[in-house]
């Protein structure tokens, strides 16, 4: 079963990356519409006017603070903007892929949180973030940080496609369709995220709250997909 799931994830990742490479986002803040692969799709957010889920699964998001959906998700540099997603999108998953178009306009000195998953017992149950000090993307699982190889593309204020793939105990990141370094070993246990504890754009210090502006993701996101 794991082998089948792994094959599906690879297919999804490749399909996502082929789509990513077909669109030039370097100069436009409003990426064009794309065809979304449907195998194992948990949710897809186009942010044309709101945070509705286009997968048909009904995993609609809720905009927080002054965040706006206007052909992309606009996240301002503050401690309130974000996107609240249903925790079931990631809760209980072992293998998964998270892909997104991203343009970061303000890079904070330490953490720049893309997505944060929390439980009542552990505010750092899950996370994907850019660590500027180490010039690396990081996946956090149960308070342990697993660093991807160094990559500087996040700091140039233009659009980039990112795909984070966990398959078994292996974790990979693709930037603009290119695998960055070698896969990183990570725990293979299923993710645990509490209701109200899956937030895009902010780091949680408790479930759904205690955000810190110095750790937010300030910029634009588009075509966010979770498999």
């Amino acid at each position: 079963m794991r082998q089948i799931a792994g094959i599906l994830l690879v297919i999804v990742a490749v399909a996502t990356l082929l789509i990513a490479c077909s669109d030039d986002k370097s100069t436009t803040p409003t990426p064009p519409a794309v065809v979304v692969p449907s195998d194992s799709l948990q949710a897809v957010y186009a942010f044309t006017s709101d945070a509705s889920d286009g997968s048909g699964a009904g995993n609609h998001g809720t905009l927080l603070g002054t965040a706006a959906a206007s052909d992309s998700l606009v996240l301002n540099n503050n401690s309130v903007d974000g996107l609240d997603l249903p925790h079931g999108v990631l809760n209980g998953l072992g293998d998964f892929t998270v892909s997104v178009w991203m343009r970061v306009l303000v890079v904070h000195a330490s953490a720049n949180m893309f997505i944060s998953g929390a439980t009542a017992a552990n505010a750092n149950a899950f996370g994907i973030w850019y660590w500027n000090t180490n010039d690396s993307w990081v996946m956090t699982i149960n308070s342990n940080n697993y660093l991807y190889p160094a990559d500087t593309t996040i700091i140039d204020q233009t659009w980039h496609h990112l795909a984070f793939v966990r398959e078994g105990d292996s974790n990979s990141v693709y930037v603009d369709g290119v695998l960055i370094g070698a896969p990183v070993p990570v725990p293979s246990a299923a993710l645990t995220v509490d209701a109200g504890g899956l937030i895009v754009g902010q780091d949680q210090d408790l479930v759904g709250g205690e955000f810190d502006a110095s750790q937010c993701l300030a910029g634009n996101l588009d075509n966010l997909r979770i498999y």
Side-chain angles (χ1 to χ4, degrees):
M1 182 65 72
R2 177 174 295 278
Q3 183 178 9
I4 295 173
I7 292 171
L8 285 174
L9 273 173
V10 171
I11 292 172
V12 166
V14 171
T16 299
L17 295 170
L18 288 174
I19 291 169
C21 294
S22 67
D23 297 327
D24 180 6
K25 306 295 192 298
S26 60
T27 59
T28 172
T30 53
V34 296
V35 178
V36 179
S38 59
D39 289 349
S40 305
L41 185 63
Q42 296 283 95
V44 56
Y45 305 94
F47 303 120
T48 52
S49 60
D50 56 22
S52 60
D53 170 23
S55 73
N59 289 314
H60 306 303
T62 302
L63 299 175
L64 303 176
T66 60
S70 179
D71 292 323
S72 68
L73 176 63
V74 181
L75 299 172
N76 297 296
N77 186 26
N78 56 41
S79 63
V80 295
D81 282 13
L83 174 65
D84 184 352
L85 296 180
H87 76 296
V89 170
L90 280 175
N91 183 54
L93 294 189
D95 296 348
F96 60 85
T97 295
V98 179
S99 73
V100 67
W101 279 100
M102 181 183 298
R103 183 175 68 160
V104 179
L105 299 179
V106 178
V107 179
H108 298 290
S110 56
N112 300 265
M113 184 61 67
F114 164 39
I115 188 166
S116 167
T119 68
N122 187 357
N124 299 305
F126 175 71
I128 299 175
W129 51 287
Y130 179 72
W131 192 357
N132 192 36
T133 304
N134 285 63
D135 182 28
S136 297
W137 283 98
V138 181
M139 182 172 287
T140 299
I141 300 176
N142 292 329
S143 296
N144 294 309
N145 296 326
Y146 303 91
L147 276 67
Y148 295 102
D151 180 76
T152 60
T153 55
I154 198 67
I155 64 174
D156 63 2
Q157 298 187 334
T158 61
W159 284 101
H160 294 283
H161 185 270
L162 297 105
F164 303 88
V165 182
R166 186 178 83 164
E167 183 181 4
D169 60 359
S170 178
N171 197 14
S172 304
V173 61
Y174 297 80
V175 177
D176 296 329
V178 178
L179 175 66
I180 303 301
V184 177
V186 294
S188 59
L191 300 179
T192 302
V193 181
D194 282 356
L198 188 59
I199 305 293
V200 171
Q202 296 285 351
D203 181 35
Q204 303 171 78
D205 286 334
L206 57 77
V207 175
E210 289 197 5
F211 304 149
D212 183 341
S214 68
Q215 298 176 330
C216 76
L217 186 74
N220 303 80
L221 302 177
D222 206 356
N223 293 317
L224 170 61
R225 311 180 197 111
I226 300 174
Y227 300 87

Short mmCIF file of all heavy atoms in Angstrom, two decimals, residues 83-88 90-92 113 115-128 140-143 191-200 202-211:
data_model
loop_
_atom_site.label_atom_id
_atom_site.label_comp_id
_atom_site.label_asym_id
_atom_site.label_seq_id
_atom_site.Cartn_x
_atom_site.Cartn_y
_atom_site.Cartn_z
N LEU A 83 -4.42 32.63 6.74
CA LEU A 83 -5.47 31.79 6.17
C LEU A 83 -5.67 30.60 7.08
O LEU A 83 -4.73 29.84 7.34
CB LEU A 83 -5.07 31.33 4.76
CG LEU A 83 -6.00 30.32 4.07
CD1 LEU A 83 -7.36 30.94 3.78
CD2 LEU A 83 -5.35 29.80 2.78
N ASP A 84 -6.88 30.46 7.60
CA ASP A 84 -7.24 29.34 8.47
C ASP A 84 -7.80 28.22 7.60
O ASP A 84 -8.81 28.41 6.91
CB ASP A 84 -8.28 29.81 9.49
CG ASP A 84 -8.65 28.75 10.51
OD1 ASP A 84 -8.22 27.59 10.36
OD2 ASP A 84 -9.39 29.07 11.46
N LEU A 85 -7.14 27.05 7.61
CA LEU A 85 -7.59 25.91 6.81
C LEU A 85 -8.17 24.82 7.70
O LEU A 85 -7.74 24.67 8.86
CB LEU A 85 -6.41 25.32 6.01
CG LEU A 85 -5.77 26.20 4.97
CD1 LEU A 85 -4.63 25.45 4.29
CD2 LEU A 85 -6.78 26.68 3.94
N PRO A 86 -9.13 24.02 7.21
CA PRO A 86 -9.63 22.88 7.99
C PRO A 86 -8.47 21.94 8.34
O PRO A 86 -7.68 21.57 7.46
CB PRO A 86 -10.63 22.22 7.03
CG PRO A 86 -11.04 23.30 6.08
CD PRO A 86 -9.81 24.16 5.91
N HIS A 87 -8.37 21.55 9.59
CA HIS A 87 -7.22 20.74 10.02
C HIS A 87 -7.16 19.40 9.32
O HIS A 87 -6.10 18.82 9.15
CB HIS A 87 -7.23 20.56 11.54
CG HIS A 87 -8.22 19.56 12.03
ND1 HIS A 87 -9.59 19.73 11.89
CD2 HIS A 87 -8.06 18.37 12.67
CE1 HIS A 87 -10.22 18.70 12.41
NE2 HIS A 87 -9.32 17.86 12.89
N GLY A 88 -8.33 18.89 8.88
CA GLY A 88 -8.38 17.59 8.23
C GLY A 88 -7.66 17.53 6.90
O GLY A 88 -7.40 16.44 6.37
N LEU A 90 -4.58 18.14 6.45
CA LEU A 90 -3.29 17.50 6.69
C LEU A 90 -3.30 16.51 7.86
O LEU A 90 -2.46 15.62 7.91
CB LEU A 90 -2.20 18.55 6.95
CG LEU A 90 -1.61 19.25 5.74
CD1 LEU A 90 -0.65 20.35 6.17
CD2 LEU A 90 -0.89 18.27 4.83
N ASN A 91 -4.24 16.67 8.77
CA ASN A 91 -4.25 15.80 9.95
C ASN A 91 -4.39 14.33 9.55
O ASN A 91 -5.26 13.97 8.76
CB ASN A 91 -5.43 16.18 10.86
CG ASN A 91 -5.46 15.35 12.12
OD1 ASN A 91 -4.49 15.26 12.86
ND2 ASN A 91 -6.60 14.72 12.37
N GLY A 92 -3.51 13.49 10.08
CA GLY A 92 -3.57 12.06 9.82
C GLY A 92 -2.83 11.61 8.58
O GLY A 92 -2.75 10.40 8.32
N MET A 113 7.04 32.00 8.07
CA MET A 113 6.21 30.81 8.16
C MET A 113 5.22 30.71 7.01
O MET A 113 4.33 31.54 6.86
CB MET A 113 5.45 30.81 9.49
CG MET A 113 4.61 29.57 9.74
SD MET A 113 5.56 28.01 9.81
CE MET A 113 6.51 28.26 11.32
N ILE A 115 3.33 27.60 6.38
CA ILE A 115 2.17 26.89 6.92
C ILE A 115 2.54 26.31 8.27
O ILE A 115 3.64 25.79 8.47
CB ILE A 115 1.67 25.81 5.95
CG1 ILE A 115 0.36 25.20 6.43
CG2 ILE A 115 2.73 24.75 5.69
CD1 ILE A 115 -0.35 24.37 5.37
N SER A 116 1.61 26.42 9.22
CA SER A 116 1.85 26.02 10.60
C SER A 116 0.73 25.12 11.09
O SER A 116 -0.44 25.43 10.91
CB SER A 116 1.94 27.27 11.49
OG SER A 116 1.90 26.95 12.86
N GLY A 117 1.10 23.98 11.70
CA GLY A 117 0.13 23.06 12.28
C GLY A 117 0.38 22.91 13.77
O GLY A 117 1.51 22.65 14.19
N ALA A 118 -0.67 23.07 14.59
CA ALA A 118 -0.51 23.04 16.04
C ALA A 118 -1.53 22.11 16.69
O ALA A 118 -2.61 21.86 16.16
CB ALA A 118 -0.65 24.45 16.62
N THR A 119 -1.15 21.61 17.86
CA THR A 119 -2.07 20.88 18.74
C THR A 119 -2.04 21.55 20.11
O THR A 119 -1.16 22.37 20.39
CB THR A 119 -1.67 19.40 18.89
OG1 THR A 119 -0.42 19.32 19.63
CG2 THR A 119 -1.49 18.73 17.54
N ALA A 120 -2.99 21.17 20.96
CA ALA A 120 -3.01 21.75 22.30
C ALA A 120 -1.74 21.42 23.07
O ALA A 120 -1.28 22.19 23.90
CB ALA A 120 -4.24 21.25 23.05
N ALA A 121 -1.16 20.26 22.77
CA ALA A 121 0.05 19.83 23.48
C ALA A 121 1.33 20.34 22.83
O ALA A 121 2.38 20.38 23.48
CB ALA A 121 0.10 18.30 23.56
N ASN A 122 1.25 20.74 21.56
CA ASN A 122 2.48 21.11 20.84
C ASN A 122 2.15 22.14 19.76
O ASN A 122 1.57 21.81 18.73
CB ASN A 122 3.13 19.88 20.22
CG ASN A 122 4.48 20.18 19.60
OD1 ASN A 122 4.93 21.32 19.58
ND2 ASN A 122 5.13 19.16 19.09
N ALA A 123 2.55 23.39 20.00
CA ALA A 123 2.29 24.45 19.03
C ALA A 123 3.14 24.29 17.78
O ALA A 123 2.87 24.90 16.75
CB ALA A 123 2.56 25.81 19.67
N ASN A 124 4.19 23.46 17.87
CA ASN A 124 5.08 23.22 16.73
C ASN A 124 4.95 21.78 16.23
O ASN A 124 5.95 21.13 15.94
CB ASN A 124 6.52 23.52 17.12
CG ASN A 124 6.73 24.96 17.55
OD1 ASN A 124 6.40 25.88 16.80
ND2 ASN A 124 7.24 25.16 18.75
N ALA A 125 3.71 21.32 16.12
CA ALA A 125 3.50 19.95 15.64
C ALA A 125 3.91 19.79 14.19
O ALA A 125 4.40 18.74 13.77
CB ALA A 125 2.03 19.57 15.82
N PHE A 126 3.74 20.87 13.40
CA PHE A 126 4.08 20.81 11.98
C PHE A 126 4.34 22.22 11.48
O PHE A 126 3.73 23.19 11.95
CB PHE A 126 2.95 20.17 11.17
CG PHE A 126 3.18 20.19 9.68
CD1 PHE A 126 4.14 19.37 9.11
CD2 PHE A 126 2.46 21.04 8.86
CE1 PHE A 126 4.38 19.40 7.73
CE2 PHE A 126 2.69 21.08 7.49
CZ PHE A 126 3.65 20.25 6.93
N GLY A 127 5.22 22.34 10.52
CA GLY A 127 5.44 23.63 9.90
C GLY A 127 6.32 23.52 8.67
O GLY A 127 7.14 22.61 8.55
N ILE A 128 6.11 24.43 7.73
CA ILE A 128 7.01 24.61 6.59
C ILE A 128 7.35 26.09 6.57
O ILE A 128 6.46 26.94 6.48
CB ILE A 128 6.37 24.18 5.26
CG1 ILE A 128 6.00 22.70 5.27
CG2 ILE A 128 7.33 24.46 4.10
CD1 ILE A 128 5.24 22.23 4.03
N THR A 140 9.17 21.38 10.02
CA THR A 140 9.12 21.07 11.45
C THR A 140 8.10 19.97 11.68
O THR A 140 6.96 20.06 11.21
CB THR A 140 8.74 22.31 12.27
OG1 THR A 140 9.72 23.32 12.08
CG2 THR A 140 8.64 21.98 13.75
N ILE A 141 8.51 18.93 12.40
CA ILE A 141 7.60 17.84 12.78
C ILE A 141 7.83 17.56 14.25
O ILE A 141 8.94 17.20 14.66
CB ILE A 141 7.85 16.58 11.94
CG1 ILE A 141 7.64 16.86 10.45
CG2 ILE A 141 6.93 15.44 12.40
CD1 ILE A 141 7.95 15.68 9.55
N ASN A 142 6.78 17.77 15.05
CA ASN A 142 6.85 17.54 16.50
C ASN A 142 8.04 18.25 17.13
O ASN A 142 8.83 17.65 17.86
CB ASN A 142 6.88 16.04 16.80
CG ASN A 142 5.57 15.37 16.47
OD1 ASN A 142 4.51 15.98 16.55
ND2 ASN A 142 5.63 14.11 16.06
N SER A 143 8.17 19.53 16.81
CA SER A 143 9.18 20.44 17.38
C SER A 143 10.60 20.19 16.90
O SER A 143 11.53 20.88 17.33
CB SER A 143 9.15 20.41 18.92
OG SER A 143 7.91 20.89 19.41
N LEU A 191 0.90 12.99 10.49
CA LEU A 191 0.82 14.31 11.12
C LEU A 191 -0.38 14.38 12.06
O LEU A 191 -1.41 13.76 11.82
CB LEU A 191 0.68 15.40 10.06
CG LEU A 191 1.81 15.54 9.04
CD1 LEU A 191 1.49 16.67 8.07
CD2 LEU A 191 3.14 15.78 9.72
N THR A 192 -0.24 15.18 13.11
CA THR A 192 -1.35 15.45 14.02
C THR A 192 -1.55 16.96 14.09
O THR A 192 -0.64 17.69 14.47
CB THR A 192 -1.07 14.90 15.42
OG1 THR A 192 -0.85 13.50 15.35
CG2 THR A 192 -2.26 15.18 16.35
N VAL A 193 -2.75 17.41 13.72
CA VAL A 193 -3.10 18.83 13.77
C VAL A 193 -4.49 18.95 14.38
O VAL A 193 -5.42 18.27 13.94
CB VAL A 193 -3.09 19.47 12.36
CG1 VAL A 193 -3.44 20.95 12.44
CG2 VAL A 193 -1.74 19.27 11.68
N ASP A 194 -4.64 19.80 15.38
CA ASP A 194 -5.93 19.99 16.03
C ASP A 194 -6.85 20.88 15.19
O ASP A 194 -6.39 21.67 14.36
CB ASP A 194 -5.76 20.64 17.40
CG ASP A 194 -5.32 19.65 18.47
OD1 ASP A 194 -5.21 18.44 18.16
OD2 ASP A 194 -5.08 20.08 19.62
N ALA A 195 -8.15 20.77 15.44
CA ALA A 195 -9.12 21.67 14.82
C ALA A 195 -8.77 23.11 15.15
O ALA A 195 -8.47 23.45 16.30
CB ALA A 195 -10.53 21.34 15.31
N GLY A 196 -8.76 23.97 14.14
CA GLY A 196 -8.39 25.36 14.32
C GLY A 196 -6.90 25.60 14.33
O GLY A 196 -6.45 26.75 14.50
N GLY A 197 -6.11 24.55 14.11
CA GLY A 197 -4.67 24.66 14.25
C GLY A 197 -3.88 24.54 12.97
O GLY A 197 -2.70 24.23 13.02
N LEU A 198 -4.51 24.80 11.81
CA LEU A 198 -3.77 24.78 10.54
C LEU A 198 -3.86 26.16 9.92
O LEU A 198 -4.91 26.57 9.43
CB LEU A 198 -4.35 23.72 9.60
CG LEU A 198 -3.55 23.48 8.32
CD1 LEU A 198 -2.12 23.05 8.62
CD2 LEU A 198 -4.23 22.43 7.43
N ILE A 199 -2.75 26.90 9.99
CA ILE A 199 -2.73 28.30 9.59
C ILE A 199 -1.66 28.54 8.53
O ILE A 199 -0.52 28.11 8.68
CB ILE A 199 -2.44 29.21 10.80
CG1 ILE A 199 -3.44 28.96 11.93
CG2 ILE A 199 -2.44 30.68 10.39
CD1 ILE A 199 -4.87 29.37 11.61
N VAL A 200 -2.02 29.25 7.48
CA VAL A 200 -1.08 29.67 6.45
C VAL A 200 -0.67 31.12 6.73
O VAL A 200 -1.52 31.97 7.00
CB VAL A 200 -1.70 29.57 5.05
CG1 VAL A 200 -0.81 30.22 4.00
CG2 VAL A 200 -1.99 28.11 4.70
N GLN A 202 1.26 32.43 9.22
CA GLN A 202 1.63 32.83 10.57
C GLN A 202 2.14 31.62 11.35
O GLN A 202 1.73 30.48 11.11
CB GLN A 202 0.43 33.42 11.33
CG GLN A 202 -0.12 34.70 10.76
CD GLN A 202 0.73 35.92 11.05
OE1 GLN A 202 1.68 35.87 11.84
NE2 GLN A 202 0.41 37.04 10.41
N ASP A 203 3.03 31.89 12.31
CA ASP A 203 3.52 30.87 13.23
C ASP A 203 2.66 30.90 14.49
O ASP A 203 2.44 31.96 15.07
CB ASP A 203 4.98 31.15 13.58
CG ASP A 203 5.56 30.10 14.51
OD1 ASP A 203 5.18 28.93 14.39
OD2 ASP A 203 6.40 30.47 15.36
N GLN A 204 2.17 29.74 14.90
CA GLN A 204 1.31 29.66 16.08
C GLN A 204 2.13 29.35 17.34
O GLN A 204 2.97 28.46 17.32
CB GLN A 204 0.27 28.55 15.91
CG GLN A 204 -0.60 28.69 14.67
CD GLN A 204 -1.45 27.46 14.44
OE1 GLN A 204 -2.47 27.27 15.08
NE2 GLN A 204 -1.02 26.62 13.50
N ASP A 205 1.81 30.06 18.42
CA ASP A 205 2.36 29.71 19.73
C ASP A 205 1.30 29.06 20.60
O ASP A 205 1.59 28.63 21.72
CB ASP A 205 2.97 30.93 20.42
CG ASP A 205 4.30 31.33 19.80
OD1 ASP A 205 4.97 30.44 19.21
OD2 ASP A 205 4.67 32.50 19.87
N LEU A 206 0.09 29.02 20.11
CA LEU A 206 -0.99 28.17 20.63
C LEU A 206 -1.94 27.93 19.48
O LEU A 206 -1.83 28.58 18.44
CB LEU A 206 -1.68 28.79 21.85
CG LEU A 206 -2.31 30.17 21.75
CD1 LEU A 206 -3.65 30.16 21.02
CD2 LEU A 206 -2.54 30.72 23.16
N VAL A 207 -2.86 27.00 19.64
CA VAL A 207 -3.74 26.62 18.54
C VAL A 207 -4.52 27.83 18.04
O VAL A 207 -5.32 28.42 18.77
CB VAL A 207 -4.71 25.50 18.96
CG1 VAL A 207 -5.71 25.21 17.84
CG2 VAL A 207 -3.94 24.24 19.30
N GLY A 208 -4.24 28.24 16.81
CA GLY A 208 -4.98 29.32 16.17
C GLY A 208 -4.63 30.71 16.65
O GLY A 208 -5.38 31.66 16.34
N GLY A 209 -3.51 30.90 17.37
CA GLY A 209 -3.26 32.24 17.87
C GLY A 209 -1.83 32.49 18.32
O GLY A 209 -0.93 31.69 18.09
N GLU A 210 -1.67 33.66 18.99
CA GLU A 210 -0.39 34.17 19.46
C GLU A 210 0.63 34.25 18.32
O GLU A 210 1.73 33.71 18.37
CB GLU A 210 0.16 33.35 20.63
CG GLU A 210 -0.61 33.55 21.91
CD GLU A 210 0.14 33.08 23.15
OE1 GLU A 210 1.32 32.69 23.03
OE2 GLU A 210 -0.46 33.11 24.22
N PHE A 211 0.21 34.98 17.27
CA PHE A 211 1.07 35.18 16.11
C PHE A 211 2.11 36.26 16.40
O PHE A 211 1.90 37.14 17.24
CB PHE A 211 0.25 35.59 14.89
CG PHE A 211 -0.86 34.65 14.53
CD1 PHE A 211 -2.03 35.12 13.95
CD2 PHE A 211 -0.75 33.28 14.77
CE1 PHE A 211 -3.06 34.26 13.61
CE2 PHE A 211 -1.78 32.40 14.44
CZ PHE A 211 -2.93 32.90 13.85
#
